[in-house]
């Protein structure tokens, strides 16, 4: 157990304290303890190679030049920050046997509040309060209602009557509120060292990762905005949208049975222009850029995490040092096995028992995923049925935009289903995880995290996958439509394509979910705390309430959720998925994510400081299983973006037409002039008399030309009705299909090669950090040897003075 932080009456020097990393400073290469004399401790020093001297001179010149420039507004004022020099001291696991190696000025303050909290919590989790097999631990007392709550205390109030600039911060909580949680500091860098000292390394790493992710979103948001603006700038020059807007003579077949009328292709002019904003020549470049961006983000985060882990003394901390969960000990205490690492007996779970539990858990996961697929199928049925209903609606606005109304209402209903199923998923994931009986807290957390992520990811993205890859792909053609249970005709894409449906799905879900999450994270605790304060004022009066002790003030705050940082990580990981997986269809996703994250950092900071009880500080050396999930999303994003460009968008059909069938065929050009006639070439002809009886529209189309229509057009590459192969696929269809498959293969292989090359070229550890770690290891070994040698020599001299002789004594 490696920890730091709060509980005054507890003295870890007299109790059985676990192993804790604490500062262990040196003087002239030796460990020393406080002997009442003033001594200056030695900080970490690093050997600089000669090749760095030139860089040092350049840095000095740059620092002189920067002196003439304004102070960086994003930097925090160092004068307002507390002295954190102890982070530069060497540290080592604390042990009572080697207490003489550590600087101890005052035993009461040697361990900070966070460390004391962890020590107390460690003991209370394992103390036996009554005779019996399961009568062990504080968590069980909390579960059966013996205690209402157990939490470390905040360091006073986060507000003060005096200004922090004139009177300084009253405590670390007040300082964090002023320089981190306040909305005035939204553009400032985060004080990660202070966050780590107050909340522990695990929460500090979360905010470090969130800040790094937000910073990396800036180039992605800029490029995505550039792609969108490029679409706006080239909108008037797009030949395809021009032809759609001018196609008043082209009559499209109805998109649903009976109630949907014939429509001019020019009626979809607005949708064609909106589609061009997202589906233009820069889309492929942006998809490649985002795939590379995801790799660069993860690789540089590994380097950033390594620097943080070194500065926070997490390099040598391993999860194997974690203690066994009390629930696991209580369940398997009767059967023990020797731990090959520590050599001590510990509870043992049989292999057959573990496998059976995992199989049952996996079956539960599969069943819940099937429930999600069933919910998506219900949404598909709704879309199929509702499009006809909206087509016969009384209001002309809805009747003329029946497909958009269907998509919008389906997305909103899908969002409500997502929110309802999330409540069920949490209970199922918790039950399945406890059924598995994980050995340690990290194993429990990883198992629960993986289940919840799978549930949430499938729940959130299943409808998006349907719209991207299945909507309008298997509908058949007029006269031979494919139907669900031979009744409902499958939904078709809009005449301008399916990409507008995918954009609406992503935009609405992303905005609604982020708005809902922000409300639940901050709005709900604010309302709860306001109601609690109002009740206390009515019960005790405002004067008596102000004199409450700190523990009672903290008790009236909201507790942190039972799963720690899970909700915070899950929200950001799902957002990362939206930002990368379907980014080819929605280039503005990184910009929306960036704006949300700038707000998210301050919302989370404000929530931790003012609205939540202080969470128990805990250690972690990385973000855990979330990193593997991010890597999986990065790989999935390459595949999905390749399919979105090849299948959902019209990028490939346009290229095939420009190089093979258009005016520039055989000339090696693909400009706008080469796209003349593309819209007409991408539409097939259907004989109206060939409609099925249940598909015949209520109108005969006489309102367009004064006489009943004989022919209508639809999106596909099929032969005309009077050809020998009626409604069979044309040669152009097979050319487009081959080009789509070739693009998918080339795109995936190219991007994966670039990703692996970048991963290979970027080392996990910075060169200077590797040298510092080696230098420190060398110095520590040397210092520990010299310190132990000096101690033994002193003991030998004292024994000689006392007249005692010892044989076989070293040295």
């Amino acid at each position: 157990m490696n920890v730091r932080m709060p509980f005054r009456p507890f003295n870890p020097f007299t109790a059985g304290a676990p192993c804790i990393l604490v500062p262990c400073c040196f003087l002239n290469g030796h460990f020393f303890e406080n002997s009442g004399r003033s001594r200056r401790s030695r900080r970490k020093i690093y050997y600089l190679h000669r090749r760095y001297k030139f860089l040092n001179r350049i840095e000095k010149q740059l620092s002189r030049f920067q002196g003439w420039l304004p102070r960086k507004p994003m930097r925090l004022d160092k004068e307002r920050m507390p002295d954190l020099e102890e982070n530069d001291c060497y540290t080592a696991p604390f042990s009572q046997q080697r207490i003489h190696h550590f600087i101890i000025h005052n035993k009461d303050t040697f361990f900070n509040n966070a460390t004391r909290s962890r020590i107390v919590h460690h003991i209370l989790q394992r103390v036996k309060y009554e005779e019996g097999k399961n009568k062990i631990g504080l968590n069980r007392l909390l579960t059966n209602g013996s205690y209402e709550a157990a939490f470390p205390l905040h360091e006073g109030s986060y507000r003060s009557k005096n200004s922090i600039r004139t009177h300084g911060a009253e405590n670390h909580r007040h300082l964090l509120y002023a320089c981190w949680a306040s909305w005035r500091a939204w553009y400032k860098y985060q004080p990660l060292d202070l966050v780590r000292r107050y909340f522990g390394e695990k929460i500090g790493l979360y905010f470090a990762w969130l800040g790094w992710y937000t910073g990396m979103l800036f180039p992605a948001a800029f490029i995505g905005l550039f792609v969108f603006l490029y679409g706006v700038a080239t909108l008037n020059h797009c030949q395809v949208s021009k032809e759609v807007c001018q196609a008043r003579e082209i009559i499209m077949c109805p998109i649903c049975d009976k109630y949907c009328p014939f429509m001019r292709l020019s009626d979809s002019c607005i949708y064609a222009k909106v589609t061009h904003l997202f589906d233009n020549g820069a889309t492929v470049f942006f998809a490649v850029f985002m795939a590379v961006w995801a790799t660069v983000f993860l690789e540089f985060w590994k380097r950033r995490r390594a620097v943080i882990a070194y500065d926070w003394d997490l390099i040598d901390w391993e999860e194997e040092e974690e203690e066994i969960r009390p629930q696991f000990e209580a369940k398997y205490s009767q059967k023990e096995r020797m731990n090959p690492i520590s050599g001590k007996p510990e509870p043992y779970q049989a292999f057959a028992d573990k496998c059976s539990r995992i199989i049952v858990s996996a079956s539960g996961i599969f069943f819940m995923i099937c429930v999600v697929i069933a919910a998506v199928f219900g949404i598909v049925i709704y879309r199929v049925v509702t499009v006809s209903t909206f087509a016969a609606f009384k209001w002309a606005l809805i009747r003329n935009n029946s497909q958009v109304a269907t998509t919008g209402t389906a997305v909103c209903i899908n969002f409500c289903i997502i929110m309802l199923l999330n409540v069920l998923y949490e209970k199922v994931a918790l039950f399945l995880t406890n059924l598995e009986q994980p050995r340690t807290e990290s194993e429990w957390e990883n198992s629960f995290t993986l289940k919840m992520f799978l549930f949430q990811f499938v729940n959130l993205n299943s409808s998006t996958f349907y719209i991207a890859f299945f909507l309008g792909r298997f509908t058949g053609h007029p006269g031979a439509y494919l139907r669900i249970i031979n009744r409902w005709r499958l939904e078709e894409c809009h005449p301008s394509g399916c990409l507008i449906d995918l954009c609406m799905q992503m935009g609405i879900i992303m905005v609604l979910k982020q708005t809902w999450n922000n409300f639940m994270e901050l709005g709900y605790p604010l309302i709860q705390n306001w109601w609690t304060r109002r009740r206390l004022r009515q019960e005790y009066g405002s004067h008596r309430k102000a004199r409450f002790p700190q523990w009672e003030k903290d008790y009236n705050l909201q507790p942190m959720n039972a799963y720690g940082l899970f909700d915070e990580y899950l929200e950001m990981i799902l957002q990362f998925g939206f930002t990368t997986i379907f980014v080819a269809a929605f280039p503005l996703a990184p910009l929306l994510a960036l704006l949300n994250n700038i707000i998210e950092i301050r919302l989370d900071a404000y929530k931790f400081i003012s609205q939540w009880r202080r969470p128990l500080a805990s250690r972690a050396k990385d973000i855990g299983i979330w990193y593997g999930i991010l890597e999986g999303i990065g790989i999935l994003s390459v595949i999905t973006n390749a399919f979105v460009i090849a299948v959902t968008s019209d990028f490939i059909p346009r290229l095939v037409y420009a190089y093979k069938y258009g005016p520039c065929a055989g000339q090696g050009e693909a400009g706008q002039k080469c796209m003349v006639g593309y819209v007409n070439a991408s539409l097939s002809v259907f004989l109206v008399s060939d409609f099925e009886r249940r598909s015949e529209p209520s109108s005969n189309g006489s309102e367009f030309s004064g006489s009943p229509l004989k022919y209508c057009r639809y999106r596909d590459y099929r032969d005309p009705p009077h050809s020998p192969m009626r409604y069979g696929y044309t040669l152009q269809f097979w050319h487009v299909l081959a080009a789509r498959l070739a693009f998918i293969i080339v795109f995936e292989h190219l991007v994966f090669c670039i990703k692996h090359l970048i991963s290979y070229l970027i080392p996990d550890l910075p060169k200077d950090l590797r040298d510092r770690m080696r230098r420190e290891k060398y110095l520590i070994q040397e210092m520990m040897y010299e310190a132990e040698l000096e101690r033994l020599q002193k003991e030998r001299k004292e024994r000689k003075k006392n007249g005692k002789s010892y044989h076989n004594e070293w040295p």
Side-chain angles (χ1 to χ4, degrees):
M1 176 181 178
N2 289 336
V3 226
R4 293 189 175 230
M5 298 189 170
F7 275 78
R8 180 170 294 176
F10 179 75
N11 188 354
F13 289 91
T14 58
C19 181
I20 304 164
L21 279 179
V22 296
C24 177
C25 296
F26 308 96
L27 179 68
N28 298 326
H30 298 279
F31 292 95
F32 72 95
E33 60 181 345
N34 181 35
S35 59
R37 293 174 299 196
S38 175
R39 286 188 172 179
R40 181 182 177 87
S41 63
R42 175 174 163 184
R43 297 186 187 178
K44 294 178 182 178
I45 57 174
Y46 311 108
Y47 178 75
L48 296 178
H49 297 282
R50 292 183 179 179
R51 58 191 179 91
Y52 290 132
K53 290 183 178 180
F54 177 70
L55 297 177
N56 291 338
R57 294 174 185 173
I58 295 178
E59 290 179 358
K60 289 180 180 179
Q61 297 297 330
L62 288 176
S63 62
R64 292 179 182 177
F65 175 73
Q66 290 175 354
W68 297 91
L69 299 177
R71 186 174 60 88
K72 293 183 179 180
M74 298 175 67
R75 299 283 184 185
L76 290 168
D77 189 1
K78 293 184 179 181
E79 296 180 357
R80 294 167 56 185
M81 302 300 293
D83 184 16
L84 301 176
E85 290 183 356
E86 63 188 42
N87 293 332
D88 294 330
C89 297
Y90 292 117
T91 59
F94 176 76
S95 173
Q96 281 186 302
Q97 288 74 19
R98 295 186 177 181
I99 196 173
H100 55 278
H101 287 172
F102 299 89
I103 301 176
I104 306 176
H105 297 288
N106 187 349
K107 288 188 176 183
D108 294 332
T109 59
F110 180 65
F111 293 102
N112 58 29
N113 289 343
T115 304
R116 291 171 177 267
S117 297
R118 293 185 55 220
I119 295 173
V120 171
H121 185 262
H122 172 84
I123 295 175
L124 292 180
Q125 270 191 318
R126 287 155 178 80
V127 66
K128 198 165 188 177
Y129 58 85
E130 191 177 320
E131 291 298 328
K133 179 180 179 181
N134 296 323
K135 308 295 185 179
I136 181 174
L138 176 64
N139 291 340
R140 188 166 186 85
L141 291 172
L142 291 171
T143 303
N144 61 28
S146 299
Y147 291 102
E148 292 187 6
F151 52 89
L153 299 182
H154 279 294
E155 297 180 2
S157 176
Y158 66 93
R159 295 182 182 273
S160 176
K161 298 179 180 179
N162 302 320
S163 174
I164 192 173
R165 294 185 177 181
T166 57
H167 294 76
E170 295 185 355
N171 50 62
H172 286 170
R173 188 187 185 193
H174 181 208
L175 179 61
L176 279 172
Y177 177 79
C179 67
W180 182 49
S182 175
W183 293 105
R184 298 177 181 176
W186 68 270
Y187 60 94
K188 298 280 189 181
Y189 290 126
Q190 300 182 87
L192 294 178
D193 287 332
L194 190 57
V195 174
R196 171 245 183 170
R197 170 182 282 190
Y198 193 81
F199 290 109
E201 286 80 2
K202 195 170 187 178
I203 294 177
L205 271 172
Y206 163 71
F207 282 104
W209 176 83
L210 180 57
W212 183 259
Y213 171 45
T214 304
M216 289 293 292
L217 278 174
F218 275 96
F222 176 78
I223 300 297
L225 182 61
F226 170 79
V227 171
F228 179 79
L229 295 178
Y230 174 81
V232 174
T234 59
L235 183 60
N236 295 328
H237 305 286
C238 179
Q239 180 64 30
V240 176
S241 59
K242 282 183 181 180
E243 291 186 0
V244 171
C245 294
Q246 296 171 2
R248 298 185 59 83
E249 301 300 325
I250 297 179
I251 308 301
M252 302 298 295
C253 297
I255 59 175
C256 67
D257 294 337
K258 293 185 179 180
Y259 299 107
C260 292
F262 295 97
M263 59 179 296
R264 289 187 176 92
L265 181 60
S266 59
D267 293 341
S268 61
C269 176
I270 296 177
Y271 304 113
K273 291 182 176 180
V274 173
T275 301
H276 176 74
L277 299 180
F278 303 100
D279 184 16
N280 51 63
T283 303
V284 178
F285 161 75
F286 186 58
V288 176
F289 171 82
M290 287 303 298
V292 175
W293 173 87
T295 302
V296 172
F297 161 66
L298 293 177
E299 291 300 321
F300 276 96
W301 163 248
K302 285 196 290 188
R303 294 166 61 88
R304 172 64 175 160
R305 184 207 63 82
V307 174
I308 293 175
Y310 177 77
D311 291 339
W312 292 357
D313 300 308
L314 299 172
I315 294 293
D316 297 328
W317 184 83
E318 298 293 339
E319 291 186 357
E320 286 76 16
E321 298 177 17
E322 275 193 296
E323 299 291 337
I324 299 175
R325 296 177 67 236
Q327 295 86 346
F328 185 88
E329 288 181 337
K331 178 72 176 178
Y332 300 102
S333 58
Q334 296 180 352
K335 188 174 183 179
E336 292 185 344
R337 189 178 68 169
M338 194 69 67
N339 189 316
I341 306 300
S342 62
K344 299 178 181 179
E346 65 179 17
Y348 169 68
Q349 183 182 15
F351 180 77
D353 180 72
K354 185 175 183 179
C355 286
S356 61
R357 290 177 180 275
I358 291 178
I359 290 173
V360 173
S361 178
S363 302
I365 295 173
F366 178 75
F367 173 76
M368 292 306 300
I369 291 177
C370 291
V371 171
V372 176
I373 296 175
V376 174
F377 185 76
I379 296 294
V380 173
I381 298 295
Y382 169 82
R383 294 173 67 103
V384 169
V385 174
T386 311
V387 67
S388 300
T389 305
F390 282 137
F393 213 73
K394 295 181 179 179
W395 295 349
L397 179 63
I398 296 180
R399 185 172 61 250
N400 296 334
N401 300 278
S402 59
Q403 199 162 16
V404 177
T406 300
T407 301
T409 54
V411 171
C412 294
I413 293 175
N414 184 36
F415 177 75
C416 295
I417 293 176
I418 289 172
M419 293 295 104
L420 291 175
L421 288 179
N422 284 345
V423 179
L424 176 63
Y425 292 156
E426 183 177 332
K427 299 182 182 299
V428 173
L430 183 62
F431 172 77
L432 294 177
T433 305
N434 290 330
L435 181 66
E436 292 178 7
Q437 288 291 348
R439 179 175 174 273
T440 63
E441 289 295 338
S442 62
E443 291 180 4
W444 188 97
E445 185 176 338
N446 290 341
S447 178
F448 179 78
T449 297
L450 184 60
K451 292 179 181 61
M452 280 297 293
F453 171 77
L454 287 175
F455 292 159
Q456 296 268 16
F457 183 81
V458 175
N459 189 25
L460 194 62
N461 292 282
S462 53
S463 296
T464 309
F465 273 90
Y466 164 74
I467 293 175
F469 305 128
F470 297 98
L471 178 62
R473 302 289 179 270
F474 309 101
T475 58
H477 62 87
Y481 288 117
L482 297 178
R483 299 177 181 273
I484 300 176
I485 60 174
N486 199 29
R487 180 177 180 181
W488 293 301
R489 168 181 162 185
L490 290 175
E491 188 181 4
E492 292 187 41
C493 292
H494 196 271
S496 60
C498 291
L499 200 66
I500 187 66
D501 297 302
L502 184 58
C503 292
M504 287 183 61
Q505 173 82 11
M506 289 191 62
I508 294 177
I509 291 293
M510 194 169 183
V511 172
L512 285 180
K513 182 153 182 61
Q514 290 183 348
T515 303
W516 175 259
N517 287 338
N518 290 336
F519 169 75
M520 291 302 295
E521 285 184 8
L522 184 63
Y524 181 74
L526 278 174
I527 294 174
Q528 289 286 91
N529 290 334
W530 171 81
W531 181 258
T532 302
R533 290 194 300 269
R534 181 175 179 273
R535 177 177 55 81
L536 292 175
R537 279 197 301 266
Q538 293 177 350
E539 186 174 352
Y540 297 102
S542 57
H543 296 289
R544 186 178 175 186
K545 174 181 170 293
R547 294 193 298 270
F548 278 173
Q550 187 64 42
W551 66 267
E552 193 162 357
K553 292 179 181 178
D554 289 0
Y555 175 74
N556 293 324
L557 296 177
Q558 295 301 305
M560 187 177 179
N561 61 68
Y563 313 120
L565 294 169
F566 170 78
D567 290 337
E568 279 70 25
Y569 272 118
L570 180 64
E571 178 186 356
M572 291 295 103
I573 299 300
L574 292 176
Q575 183 203 85
F576 180 81
F578 265 100
T579 307
T580 54
I581 292 179
F582 293 104
V583 74
F586 194 56
L588 293 179
L591 179 61
L592 294 179
L594 174 63
L595 297 176
N596 175 80
N597 287 8
I598 292 175
I599 300 174
E600 181 75 21
I601 291 176
R602 305 305 158 179
L603 280 181
D604 285 347
Y606 182 80
K607 174 179 61 181
F608 273 93
I609 291 294
S610 64
Q611 302 302 313
W612 278 3
R613 297 170 186 168
R614 188 176 182 177
L616 181 70
S618 57
R619 291 177 72 87
K621 65 186 303 182
D622 52 27
I623 61 176
I625 196 175
W626 294 112
Y627 185 84
I629 293 174
L630 288 171
E631 285 187 325
I633 291 176
I635 295 173
L636 180 62
S637 67
V638 177
I639 301 173
T640 54
N641 281 305
F643 276 89
V644 166
I645 296 172
V647 177
T648 310
S649 74
D650 289 336
F651 177 77
I652 299 301
R654 292 176 186 178
L655 280 184
V656 172
Y657 178 82
Y659 286 104
K660 183 68 178 177
Y661 298 95
C664 304
Q667 301 179 15
E669 298 181 14
Q672 291 298 327
K673 64 178 183 178
C674 302
M675 298 303 298
V676 175
Y678 166 76
V679 173
N680 185 62
S682 63
L683 299 175
S684 300
V685 180
F686 178 74
L687 186 64
V688 173
S689 59
D690 289 341
F691 267 123
E692 299 173 293
R693 175 166 298 185
R694 53 183 172 180
S695 298
E696 289 182 356
S698 57
S699 172
N700 58 8
S702 57
E703 64 271 16
F704 296 104
S705 59
S707 60
L709 286 175
K710 293 184 178 181
Y711 301 97
C712 63
R713 309 292 293 273
Y714 61 98
R715 284 174 57 92
D716 210 341
Y717 297 100
R718 293 183 180 271
D719 291 322
H722 302 295
S723 65
M725 299 291 295
R726 299 180 76 233
Y727 305 121
Y729 288 118
T730 63
L731 183 62
Q732 188 175 356
F733 168 82
W734 298 109
H735 284 163
V736 171
L737 179 62
R740 281 174 169 166
L741 295 177
F743 174 82
I744 292 172
I745 295 173
V746 172
F747 182 89
E748 289 182 354
H749 282 70
L750 176 64
V751 175
F752 277 129
C753 287
I754 295 175
K755 286 169 69 69
H756 287 301
L757 179 63
I758 291 175
S759 300
Y760 175 77
L761 294 178
I762 302 176
D764 294 345
L765 289 178
K767 179 65 169 57
D768 59 337
L769 178 60
R770 188 183 297 111
D771 293 340
R772 290 163 61 186
M773 292 171 60
R774 291 176 179 174
R775 176 67 174 170
E776 179 177 343
K777 185 176 181 181
Y778 168 76
L779 289 177
I780 287 179
Q781 290 177 349
E782 187 180 60
M783 294 170 183
M784 290 185 68
Y785 172 78
E786 293 178 358
E788 193 69 20
L789 181 62
E790 183 179 355
R791 184 182 67 83
L792 291 174
Q793 288 176 348
K794 288 181 179 179
E795 290 182 358
R796 185 177 182 181
K797 291 179 181 179
E798 291 178 358
R799 290 166 184 167
K800 285 184 177 181
K801 290 180 179 179
N802 297 331
K804 296 181 180 180
S805 60
Y806 292 87
H807 300 285
N808 300 326
E809 187 175 345
W810 182 88

